[in-house]
Amino acid sequence: MSVRLSGDPADIDLDVVHGYLTRSYWSPGISRELVARAAANSLCVSALDETGQIGFARVITDRATFAWLADVFVLERARGLGIGRAMVRWLMEHPELQNLRRWMLATWDAHGVYEALGWKPVDRPDRLLQRHDPEAHRR
């Protein structure tokens, strides 16, 4: 399988991205419009093979001090080939994201993917707060 990574917004197949995210554990039922708006306002990478989009990841960032990695996925049929790790590495090496003070993400089940790239649990979780509304995308 030949895989190409692309940061070109024109390469994002929104039907594939929305189709995956709407059934993911982190954004079930998310609208296509909201996925499109999130992608348009983020730095994204697409993994593509001869059939089209097989993976996606995005970073929400100020491009100066902070980045939040989000919506990382690889379609089931293409897992186990290092594509997820390659997309994250592509974003981490992006010229506009060098020398950031902090990168963050949240995951239930992919710690190994990120730890292999130098990610670690937060040093002081007692300093982190959140305002979380898991139903916001349904309104």
Side-chain angles (χ1 to χ4, degrees), residues 36-92:
R37 192 169 64 193
N41 289 296
S42 301
L43 181 61
C44 302
V45 61
S46 294
L48 307 150
D49 72 2
E50 57 281 348
T51 67
Q53 183 117 27
I54 58 170
F56 178 81
R58 69 186 182 97
V59 170
I60 304 99
T61 183
D62 61 7
R63 291 175 163 84
T65 64
F66 181 79
W68 181 271
L69 181 62
D71 295 338
V72 179
F73 75 84
V74 176
L75 295 181
E76 291 82 357
R77 66 180 173 78
R79 289 189 184 157
L81 303 172
I83 296 168
R85 196 169 283 147
M87 289 188 302
V88 174
R89 185 178 294 111
W90 188 95
L91 288 166
M92 291 172 57

